[in-house]
Amino acid sequence: MQTGRSVTNMKIVWVIVNKAIQPLKNAVVLSTLVVSGSILTQSPLAAIAAPTRVSTCPNVSRSDGVKTYDVIVFGDQVPGVMTALQVKRELKKRNQAARVALITEGNVSTGIGGHLVRGGLAYLDRNQVPRDLRSQMGAFAAASSLYQEFLTITGTQTIALDRLTANAAFKRILAQEKVEVIGNVTLQAVTTTPKTVCSLTTANNGTFAAQQFIDATQGGKFAKLAGVQLLPGFAALGLPDSSLSVGLVFETYGLSISQLQQIEATLIRRLQNPADQVAQQWLKVASGDDPEHRQTILASLTNAAGEPLTLYQSTADSADGRSLALSTAFHGSTNTEILNAKATLDRANIAVLKDRLSFNAVLFYVDAKQAIALSDGGAKPEAYMLDFATQVQSFFRGLGASRVDVMSEVYIRSTDQIANPVEELSATQMTKGGVPAAEALGTFSYHLDVRGGIKGLGARAATAGIKSINFQYMPTFNYGFRHTLPKDRENLAVLGPAAGYGGLGEAAGRIVEFNVSVGEGLAIAVAKAITERRSLHSIQHREVRQALGFTPTVYGRPTASFYTVFQLEETLKPAARVARVAALPSRSNIDGVPLVQVSSAQASLNKGIQHSKTGHYFAAIQAYTQAIAHDPNPLTYYNRGVALSLLHKYEAAIADYTTAIRLKPDFVAAYKNRGLVHIQSPHHLKEAVADYNQAIQLNPQDATSYLGKGFALALQGHRQEAIASLTQATILKPNLAIAYFVRASVYRDLRDRSAALINYQQAATLYQQQHNLSAYQNTLGTIDELK
């Protein structure tokens, strides 16, 4: 029997759904309380206690020929490698045996580290600090602890990663930490229960089982075989066939940055010289003989003062292309257009290594099917890609390179994405600042870089009435780890571009530094899930943040492009959803409504209610705000407060609930919801109790007010008063199972084992009668633990 644990530490998760819907006013009253988390749920209408325990798989042992582990990381992309190391350490901290395996289809004999090693992607995109903060933070923010370790062990100065050094470092540290590496497997099948991943079977290495799994592939291949629903391409924006370009890195020997700058300067002068017939022919071919594109090329060659824009070095180990001089010379000399349908030599990002230069410049335009086929097939370049690379090799040898090597794997920027993440980290959320600061594991800042473009996005946006798409402002957003968790499986995380970005967010979320930093928090969550025998879904951002061992630097904030991104995502997403549910035409009138000014307060209120019901809380807030402009009534302030609560905007929600109460002093639901928000902060528990007391005074027969008050009192340590309030809740509503569960937890905290068991058993009985299987099983597990 475990005793002395507070109610907070027990991570009890419970939900109150107050269905005080007033038919004439169309009130939306949805309130969710998560003790160790936030006021946010993907299913606010489910009046159940969220399960904290992961469902079990059939018992297996090594005698069955199955190799068993605590954690399996499938895939060897760098975020997965670093997370495997971190989860091993986190388990050891908690006195676990810490059996961790890194299993991959990659050829580990040629390198561990996915596209950074076998694909040679040496130019590392870094966490960029907004210009107004650089004087105090530098050009690049301080890296997370795990990413800093990655830089240190691979000997990376700032940006340039040497794939050979990295491979040796990964092999050494994985062996040192006793993480078992199993490479060159052929994934055949994944065995699951309805909610849990149990094992994976390979065609050539047998079967492997674990308690927790992390998919660290670039395209979510393991998750797909585990039955997780994935959206192809940018289906979330109505573009299921579209994907970001893929790259093929090449390395040159015998050329320095200064030599390339001199070559560029010469090419710029030639392209500007009308008498240079060869250069003018290059310009004609490369531009497709299009006057507008020709002008774009010429404009890229010099700055406003007429000085040539040659390669720019912001760090000693990197350089960035600014002009299209090299691209024009290459495409002109190979008789291809820069903006052709298949491949481009783009302006380069160059990593400066000790003995060579690594170019991230070759782009291939692929659709979503091609991208996922490349990812699932080991990222091997197709024949036409290799043919293009051969032309690039010849071109750079012609510039003076003594040797040009093309990498063995392509860099795949985007594939499929989790369709139903536990919490989405969309571009809209990024541009509004990300997860709440109090829950954040860190902050990341990077452009919504859709290098090569997203085919069809401009046309769809124009059709939806969006005249321009401007991604020039860089999102600076706080992050957590829960966007990596698919709802479909409660012991699986998807770490990488295939996580839950809701479409456009993948453009920033695909960056390796970001995913390694997320992996640092994910490792803690996985370790907690194992040692506390909990569902990974039940682990909240705040408890992971507390377990970090340090206070992360957090500076996420709204971005100037927020409204553009918000309008784009919220306008295009519903259209895609309507296309999938064409059999339900009534929904098209809900989801398909564009973001435009409505004509009346009632129409805006109704629109806000419909958006709230379908989970489009940003759109709901906009509609409620329009309604308030016409008629500032308490109901609309209340409903906007609900939407703000569900988006973690607690202070704004409190302000709206307070306004609703000022306009309607007997608004019971507003007091209750304000109490729920106050409970999120340990410093506002007295205010929470005061709000519930006011609700009780206005309606003494409301059992959920006593339930909320009891919980707030328990969190303050006033256990006897909490028991009295919870008892009153059970008197008023004898079938309120959660009240018995919470009262049992308070008795358990008081070390009254007998009373705790009686209440847990009563809660279990009620859950069973109410056919609430997950809550029933959770309660039985708690009873077993107590016994």
Side-chain angles (χ1 to χ4, degrees):
M1 171 177 171
Q2 297 181 8
T3 57
R5 295 189 300 176
S6 70
V7 175
T8 304
N9 289 335
M10 294 175 67
K11 310 301 179 190
I12 301 165
V13 182
W14 57 286
V15 178
I16 300 170
V17 178
N18 178 356
K19 295 184 178 179
I21 299 177
Q22 304 172 44
L24 296 178
K25 296 183 179 180
N26 294 317
V28 176
V29 186
L30 303 173
S31 308
T32 307
L33 174 62
V34 181
V35 175
S36 59
S38 60
I39 304 183
L40 176 62
T41 176
Q42 299 293 333
S43 304
L45 293 176
I48 62 172
T52 63
R53 298 180 186 279
V54 67
S55 56
T56 57
C57 295
N59 289 329
V60 296
S61 68
R62 291 186 180 267
S63 62
D64 301 318
V66 178
K67 300 171 186 175
T68 59
Y69 300 90
D70 293 303
V71 181
I72 289 176
V73 177
F74 190 87
D76 73 326
Q77 297 297 336
V78 166
V81 173
M82 297 306 299
T83 303
L85 292 168
Q86 189 66 19
V87 78
K88 176 89 175 183
R89 295 162 183 163
E90 292 295 336
L91 285 168
K92 288 171 71 176
K93 280 183 191 176
R94 293 163 174 80
N95 298 316
Q96 285 290 114
R99 298 162 300 172
V100 178
L102 180 74
I103 303 175
T104 176
E105 291 187 308
N107 184 355
V108 297
S109 62
T110 60
I112 297 174
H115 66 258
L116 293 195
V117 174
R118 293 187 299 275
L121 188 65
Y123 187 102
L124 299 175
D125 293 308
R126 299 300 309 276
N127 183 1
Q128 301 176 22
V129 175
R131 291 189 179 278
D132 61 318
L133 297 178
R134 289 182 184 177
S135 60
Q136 63 188 82
M137 298 180 67
F140 302 117
S144 67
S145 298
L146 193 59
Y147 192 75
Q148 184 56 56
E149 180 184 0
F150 159 69
L151 295 176
T152 301
I153 66 173
T154 58
T156 302
Q157 180 181 338
T158 306
I159 283 178
L161 171 76
D162 190 315
R163 60 189 170 87
L164 304 176
T165 305
N167 177 44
F170 288 148
K171 287 183 177 179
R172 182 182 66 253
I173 195 167
L174 287 166
Q176 178 183 310
E177 295 287 346
K178 293 183 172 57
V179 173
E180 188 172 348
V181 178
I182 304 160
N184 305 79
V185 307
T186 300
L187 183 61
Q188 195 171 50
V190 178
T191 303
T192 66
T193 70
K195 291 185 178 181
T196 309
V197 179
C198 297
S199 64
L200 65 97
T201 300
T202 67
N204 54 342
N205 290 76
T207 298
F208 305 85
Q211 297 182 59
Q212 295 285 333
F213 294 81
I214 298 172
D215 183 338
T217 64
Q218 195 73 349
K221 180 176 182 177
F222 180 86
K224 189 185 301 181
L225 281 177
V228 173
Q229 183 184 357
L230 298 177
L231 293 176
F234 287 92
L237 301 178
L239 298 165
D241 297 326
S242 297
S243 178
L244 296 179
S245 60
V246 302
L248 185 56
V249 174
F250 62 93
E251 297 176 342
T252 64
Y253 292 78
L255 278 176
S256 67
I257 294 298
S258 61
Q259 287 174 315
L260 280 171
Q261 288 172 327
Q262 291 172 11
I263 291 168
E264 275 192 305
T266 300
L267 288 173
I268 288 170
R269 286 193 297 272
R270 292 187 64 185
L271 291 167
Q272 289 180 317
N273 181 5
D276 190 326
Q277 294 183 6
V278 173
Q280 294 310 304
Q281 180 62 21
W282 290 344
L283 190 56
K284 179 179 180 179
V285 171
S287 67
D289 205 16
D290 181 303
E292 186 176 343
H293 189 205
R294 176 190 178 95
Q295 190 54 44
T296 298
I297 292 173
L298 289 172
S300 78
L301 302 179
T302 58
N303 60 19
E307 298 165 335
L309 285 175
T310 58
L311 289 169
Y312 173 72
Q313 285 194 271
S314 59
T315 69
D317 62 348
S318 71
D320 299 283
R322 295 182 291 176
S323 83
L324 289 166
L326 284 169
S327 300
T328 303
F330 169 77
H331 281 279
S333 63
T334 56
N335 201 32
T336 56
E337 192 178 339
I338 289 179
L339 298 180
N340 72 84
K342 274 197 169 184
T344 293
L345 180 67
D346 196 13
R347 283 176 271 211
N349 298 134
I350 304 174
V352 181
L353 303 169
K354 289 180 181 179
D355 58 345
R356 64 200 187 278
L357 302 177
S358 174
F359 286 73
N360 178 16
V362 174
L363 303 182
F364 298 103
Y365 302 107
V366 298
D367 61 24
K369 287 183 180 178
Q370 285 177 282
I372 198 64
L374 284 166
S375 180
D376 290 351
K380 300 303 180 186
E382 297 182 18
Y384 81 92
M385 298 176 177
L386 293 174
D387 288 343
F388 188 83
T390 299
Q391 292 180 307
V392 172
Q393 284 178 304
S394 297
F395 177 73
F396 276 87
R397 280 197 293 265
L399 296 179
S402 60
R403 173 177 150 196
V404 181
D405 292 346
V406 176
M407 297 299 103
S408 62
E409 292 186 5
V410 294
Y411 167 34
I412 303 163
R413 290 177 170 81
S414 68
T415 51
D416 295 350
Q417 293 181 54
I418 297 173
N420 299 300
V422 169
E423 291 184 18
E424 187 178 85
L425 185 58
S426 65
T428 297
Q429 289 166 305
M430 289 177 179
T431 54
K432 80 179 182 68
V435 305
E439 300 177 19
L441 307 181
T443 300
F444 197 76
S445 194
Y446 197 78
H447 288 281
L448 294 174
D449 180 5
V450 291
R451 189 166 183 174
I454 301 174
K455 187 177 180 180
L457 182 61
R460 274 192 55 75
T463 301
I466 301 172
K467 296 181 179 179
S468 64
I469 303 174
N470 183 1
F471 298 150
Q472 67 174 317
Y473 298 104
M474 182 172 63
T476 300
F477 57 95
N478 302 328
Y479 62 83
F481 73 95
R482 287 169 63 81
H483 66 280
T484 69
L485 309 182
K487 285 185 183 179
D488 314 61
R489 297 290 180 265
E490 59 185 12
N491 66 333
L492 170 65
V494 179
L495 182 63
Y501 296 113
L504 193 58
E506 182 181 15
R510 63 183 171 81
I511 304 302
V512 170
E513 179 174 358
F514 171 71
N515 285 303
V516 171
S517 302
V518 170
E520 183 172 32
L522 177 61
I524 294 172
V526 168
K528 287 178 72 66
I530 289 173
T531 56
E532 297 172 19
R533 290 185 288 172
R534 294 167 60 186
S535 159
L536 193 53
H537 290 181
S538 74
I539 311 293
Q540 303 296 321
H541 287 142
R542 289 190 186 210
E543 52 186 310
V544 170
R545 177 186 167 105
Q546 290 170 0
L548 277 174
F550 61 91
T551 302
T553 302
V554 174
Y555 52 96
R557 61 188 184 182
T559 308
S561 58
F562 165 74
Y563 184 74
T564 298
V565 173
F566 160 65
Q567 186 185 34
L568 181 70
E569 289 197 324
E570 290 302 310
T571 302
L572 299 190
K573 278 185 180 182
R577 197 161 33 249
V578 169
R580 293 197 301 270
V581 290
L584 302 173
S586 61
R587 280 199 66 186
S588 65
N589 295 326
I590 298 171
D591 291 340
V593 177
L595 303 175
V596 296
Q597 182 72 24
V598 293
S599 59
S600 69
Q602 188 60 48
S604 292
L605 175 60
N606 291 341
K607 186 189 295 185
I609 290 165
Q610 298 301 338
H611 281 312
S612 291
K613 286 180 177 178
T614 55
H616 298 107
Y617 303 120
F618 284 109
I621 289 167
Q622 185 185 45
Y624 291 140
T625 302
Q626 290 169 345
I628 287 169
H630 292 286
D631 178 20
N633 71 71
L635 175 62
T636 311
Y637 276 107
Y638 172 83
N639 280 351
R640 190 171 71 175
V642 171
L644 288 164
S645 298
L646 292 168
L647 289 174
H648 300 234
K649 297 293 186 181
Y650 300 141
E651 292 183 5
I654 287 173
D656 272 359
Y657 290 141
T658 302
T659 301
I661 290 168
R662 178 174 57 79
L663 295 172
K664 182 178 171 57
D666 62 347
F667 204 156
V668 174
Y671 282 110
K672 289 167 62 178
N673 274 25
R674 193 170 68 177
L676 290 175
V677 178
H678 280 314
I679 280 179
Q680 299 308 300
S681 170
H683 304 297
H684 292 166
L685 294 173
K686 289 183 180 179
E687 290 89 340
V689 172
D691 277 337
Y692 286 120
N693 279 335
Q694 188 62 42
I696 290 167
Q697 184 176 338
L698 291 167
N699 182 6
Q701 302 305 307
D702 185 359
T704 57
S705 293
Y706 284 99
L707 173 60
K709 177 184 175 182
F711 205 93
L713 287 167
L715 291 174
Q716 286 181 283
H718 303 317
R719 298 182 180 89
Q720 295 299 339
E721 293 176 58
I723 289 171
S725 188
L726 293 164
T727 299
Q728 187 61 30
T730 63
I731 291 170
L732 292 170
K733 192 172 183 180
N735 65 345
L736 189 58
I738 187 64
Y740 292 97
F741 189 93
V742 175
R743 189 169 65 180
S745 302
V746 179
Y747 276 123
R748 185 177 182 179
D749 200 37
L750 288 169
R751 304 189 183 189
D752 189 338
R753 180 175 176 276
S754 176
L757 279 172
I758 290 170
N759 278 270
Y760 280 134
Q761 286 163 349
Q762 182 62 35
T765 299
L766 289 169
Y767 281 135
Q768 186 178 37
Q769 291 172 356
Q770 295 161 11
H771 305 291
N772 191 337
L773 183 60
S774 60
Y776 171 64
Q777 290 176 335
N778 176 44
T779 308
L780 289 182
T782 304
I783 291 170
D784 289 342
E785 182 181 294
L786 187 59
K787 286 181 177 179

